[in-house]
Amino acid sequence: MQLYEHTAAELSRMLQSREVSSVEVVRSFLERIDQVDSYLKAFITQTPVTALDTAGEIDSGRMRGENLHPLAGVPVAIKDNISTMDLRTTCASRILENYIPPFDATAAAAVKRAGMPILGKTNLDEFAMGSSTENSAFFPTRNPWDPQRVPGGSSGGSAVAVAAGMAPLALGSDTGGSIRQPASLCGVTGLRPTYGRVSRYGLVAFASSLDQIGTVSLNAFDCALLLNLVAGHDPLDSTSLPGAVPDYTAGLEPGTKGLRVGVISYSSTEGFDPEVTETVQKAAALLEEHGAEVGEVSLSLTDYGLSAYYLIAPSEASSNLGRYDGIRYGYSAAGDNIETMFSRTRGEGFGPEVKRRVMIGTYALSAGYYDAYYLKAMQVRTLIRREYEKAFKKFDLLLGAASPTPAFKIGEKIGDPLQMYLSDVCNITDSLAGVPSLAVPGGFHSSGLPLGLQLTARPLQEQLLLKTARFFEAYRGQVSLRPGLEFIEKGGGSSAV
Ligand code: GLN
């Protein structure tokens, strides 16, 4: 077994017992990246030199007997909308193509403080707007299970990095599903924590009332390790939650006895692959067999969730993205006067999906339409929150699919925004409600592609999500969760698509 095939927990143990050095671990991941990333394209920027430097420092520290963090020396990849000091942070946009932040996001600073070597910055849909990573201004990322297919998005690069053994852990961001949907399409575990649990400071803003940094990992325990590191109050983020952070790795013994689980029933399953629905039903039956009380929960407002989200998120985006005017940040086009300069900068710097969102958002916020669109959407959001509160009076946990279909083909939906938006239908209401939600591998489609389950809990109940994910892991059996990547190893890489 190669070092890059290990989980973060295993690497942590091997490093602490000095079976391996961090330099060896990092080298193994760098070799893997060299082997497969020119084809899969998970990374926008790779940072092998600084990763090896950090690894070397950690190894020397360990030799000197320093008291190190459990994740010290375990490498990580970071989505390229999380600011990293002195390291290019592009948001996969031309407008920030050469932007080098003068500061670290709080989550990035935590990773550095713990001594985790950063392998690089991962690809995403431009400004995290999208569900396939095809909206990256630079290149799409491929799904390692089938290179003709998308990895999901917007944290597609982070999901692929972990699924293909290019990083044991990754940070992503989830506004309306951007961690959970790609995790499920790539067969890995993705957590969107409770809104406010992880600081948003330094996460480039898309829709501030929904944006949340979270984790991508091979399993729930690794997720807990990384969550321990990044969760917590941050005075630099006014929406960050106060209060102590539990040890997420504690109390994870898979136990489902007496757990009240509500299986989400959608008013329409149009667009759902029947095998997805079957996987959810099987998961529910498994829980019931092991002592859980399983019932049905119909979230009648999920239908409206999508419409509300696609008004609220673009509205916030249109305001947040106003800062890219060619003066303070990034790309700047020449112009005879300030107006042409602004419009050229934004016209050339933003891709089509970003422009679409800015236009939708500006329209929804404009005088005369505000009440009809933005305000209505916010009222729907309140109703959705209440519906969740009601559901959580009856159930401890909600179970559903993490995506209505397995990974779709590259190019299949990119020309039809509405179809693309519909692929978020399972994820969006959790985001609007602000509750924690986790995607865990649930099985395989007959096509061989992974399918994910989505678990949702009350605010700050991340431990329950992790514990239940562990239950599913225990019953997963011996099925390999790693994509074969034979198409690359056979050398078919560059011409396969
Ligand atoms: N796919 C959704 C969108 O395009 C969610 C993206 C995200 O969570 N960042 O808005």
Side-chain angles (χ1 to χ4, degrees), residues 298-306 380 382-385 387 429:
S298 80
L299 297 172
S300 63
L301 291 164
T302 43
D303 289 353
Y304 297 100
L306 213 60
V380 171
T382 304
L383 294 178
I384 287 174
R385 258 202 201 126
E387 200 169 40
T429 45

Side-chain angles (χ1 to χ4, degrees), residues 246-331:
D247 175 2
Y248 291 106
T249 60
L252 288 186
E253 302 73 38
T256 51
K257 219 171 177 53
L259 186 69
R260 296 171 307 163
V261 180
V263 182
I264 299 172
S265 79
Y266 293 93
S267 49
S268 154
T269 47
E270 206 192 309
F272 274 67
D273 187 299
E275 291 184 47
V276 166
T277 314
E278 218 173 276
T279 303
V280 175
Q281 282 160 356
K282 273 195 202 146
L286 194 64
L287 284 169
E288 199 162 21
E289 236 173 76
H290 290 84
E293 289 169 32
V294 177
E296 209 173 78
V297 58
S298 80
L299 297 172
S300 63
L301 291 164
T302 43
D303 289 353
Y304 297 100
L306 213 60
S307 315
Y309 173 88
Y310 277 101
L311 283 166
I312 295 168
S315 297
E316 294 185 19
S318 73
S319 156
N320 274 326
L321 271 58
R323 74 191 66 178
Y324 305 105
D325 53 13
I327 295 173
R328 288 184 63 195
Y329 301 97
Y331 178 73

Side-chain angles (χ1 to χ4, degrees), residues 30-296:
L30 293 177
E31 275 165 27
R32 181 66 171 172
I33 293 172
D34 266 354
Q35 187 194 4
V36 301
D37 200 50
S38 57
Y39 187 52
L40 295 175
K41 301 228 166 264
F43 286 91
I44 291 177
T45 307
Q46 294 175 19
T47 49
V49 176
T50 45
L52 283 168
D53 281 353
T54 307
E57 279 164 31
I58 291 300
D59 287 340
S60 327
R62 209 181 298 279
M63 298 287 268
R64 289 194 299 270
E66 274 174 24
N67 192 9
L68 297 172
H69 188 278
L71 285 174
V74 177
V76 66
I78 300 183
K79 186 175 179 179
D80 209 20
N81 61 348
I82 297 174
S83 303
T84 40
M85 188 156 84
D86 299 333
L87 172 59
R88 196 165 77 113
T89 299
T90 68
C91 290
S93 180
R94 293 269 169 232
I95 216 154
L96 289 179
E97 191 167 1
N98 298 308
Y99 171 60
I100 297 182
F103 70 107
D104 272 321
T106 299
V111 154
K112 288 185 183 175
R113 227 178 304 116
M116 297 182 79
I118 296 171
L119 295 165
K121 304 293 295 285
T122 56
N123 200 16
L124 64 151
D125 289 295
E126 187 174 1
F127 284 102
M129 296 176 192
S131 316
S132 68
T133 314
E134 291 165 289
N135 289 334
S136 165
F138 307 131
F139 40 76
T141 299
R142 291 176 198 281
N143 190 312
W145 294 90
D146 176 351
Q148 316 266 4
R149 290 177 188 269
V150 303
S154 64
S155 311
S158 288
V160 171
V162 173
M166 291 188 273
L169 291 169
L171 287 177
S173 71
D174 187 311
T175 303
S178 272
I179 289 177
R180 294 161 285 157
Q181 186 254 16
S184 80
L185 268 42
C186 292
V188 293
T189 300
L191 171 71
R192 171 193 170 87
T194 310
Y195 181 76
R197 179 85 291 192
V198 177
S199 168
R200 281 186 300 113
Y201 179 72
L203 169 66
V204 178
F206 158 17
S208 312
S209 77
L210 294 153
D211 295 342
Q212 185 56 212
I213 289 180
T215 62
V216 181
S217 58
L218 287 168
N219 61 32
F221 191 84
D222 281 6
C223 170
L225 282 173
L226 188 55
L227 186 62
N228 271 353
L229 182 63
V230 294
H233 181 251
D234 180 7
L236 297 172
D237 170 4
S238 62
T239 57
S240 137
L241 294 171
V245 176
D247 175 2
Y248 291 106
T249 60
L252 288 186
E253 302 73 38
T256 51
K257 219 171 177 53
L259 186 69
R260 296 171 307 163
V261 180
V263 182
I264 299 172
S265 79
Y266 293 93
S267 49
S268 154
T269 47
E270 206 192 309
F272 274 67
D273 187 299
E275 291 184 47
V276 166
T277 314
E278 218 173 276
T279 303
V280 175
Q281 282 160 356
K282 273 195 202 146
L286 194 64
L287 284 169
E288 199 162 21
E289 236 173 76
H290 290 84
E293 289 169 32
V294 177
E296 209 173 78

